């Protein structure tokens, strides 16, 4: 949801933002970069970042390098995934690996 006082329907367009779509999904690696930086300032800061970010979507691609073994390339993956799952369960549970996401592109 958008921050208080910001109408997602009218303000997002004014910010030149388009919601994620099948063709242009949320990329997990971008979320990882953002939240890794937030975690440098503490878990509460990372939670606030998640909760004040809007336009979350089920169009979410987990394209981490070796996404089935994220600990090899993303040292904060457990913490990041837990924060996201707790704050955004309705979207996080629909996040897909590249092989799963490809089926959406074929439709």
């Amino acid at each position: 949801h958008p921050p208080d006082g910001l109408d997602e329907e009218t303000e997002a367009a004014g910010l030149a933002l388009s919601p994620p779509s099948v063709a242009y999904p949320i990329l997990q690696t971008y979320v990882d970069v953002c939240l890794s930086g937030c975690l440098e300032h503490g878990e509460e800061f990372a939670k606030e970042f998640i909760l004040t970010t809007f336009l979350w979507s089920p169009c979410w691609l987990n394209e981490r390098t070796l996404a089935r073994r994220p600990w090899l390339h993303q040292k904060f993956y457990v913490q990041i995934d837990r924060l996201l799952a707790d704050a955004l369960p309705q979207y996080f549970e629909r996040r897909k690996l590249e092989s799963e996401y490809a089926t959406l592109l074929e439709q």
Side-chain angles (χ1 to χ4, degrees):
H1 298 295
D4 289 341
L6 186 64
D7 180 343
E8 188 170 341
E9 296 299 319
T10 59
E11 297 291 336
L15 297 171
L17 299 176
S18 296
S21 64
V22 171
Y24 299 100
I26 295 170
L27 299 179
Q28 184 63 51
T29 53
Y30 182 73
V31 174
D32 287 347
V33 167
C34 294
L35 289 177
S36 293
C38 291
L39 286 168
E40 291 179 12
H41 301 282
E43 192 165 299
E44 287 303 313
F45 186 81
K47 286 180 191 177
E48 182 178 342
F49 177 87
I50 294 167
L51 295 174
T52 58
T53 297
F54 60 101
L55 296 180
W56 290 105
S57 166
C59 297
W60 192 334
L61 176 60
N62 182 3
E63 37 49 274
R64 286 175 174 152
T65 303
L66 297 173
R68 295 185 193 275
R69 291 179 278 163
W71 61 90
L72 295 175
H73 295 281
Q74 175 45 259
K75 66 181 182 177
F76 297 118
Y77 87 96
V78 170
Q79 198 172 11
I80 288 170
D81 285 358
R82 182 180 42 78
L83 287 167
L84 292 167
D86 289 349
L88 307 167
Q90 71 277 28
Y91 299 125
F92 184 77
E93 68 187 19
R94 296 181 65 189
R95 180 182 72 165
K96 298 194 179 334
L97 297 169
E98 288 176 309
S99 58
E100 300 166 323
Y101 202 85
T103 62
L104 298 175
L105 295 171
E106 294 171 357
Q107 297 176 1

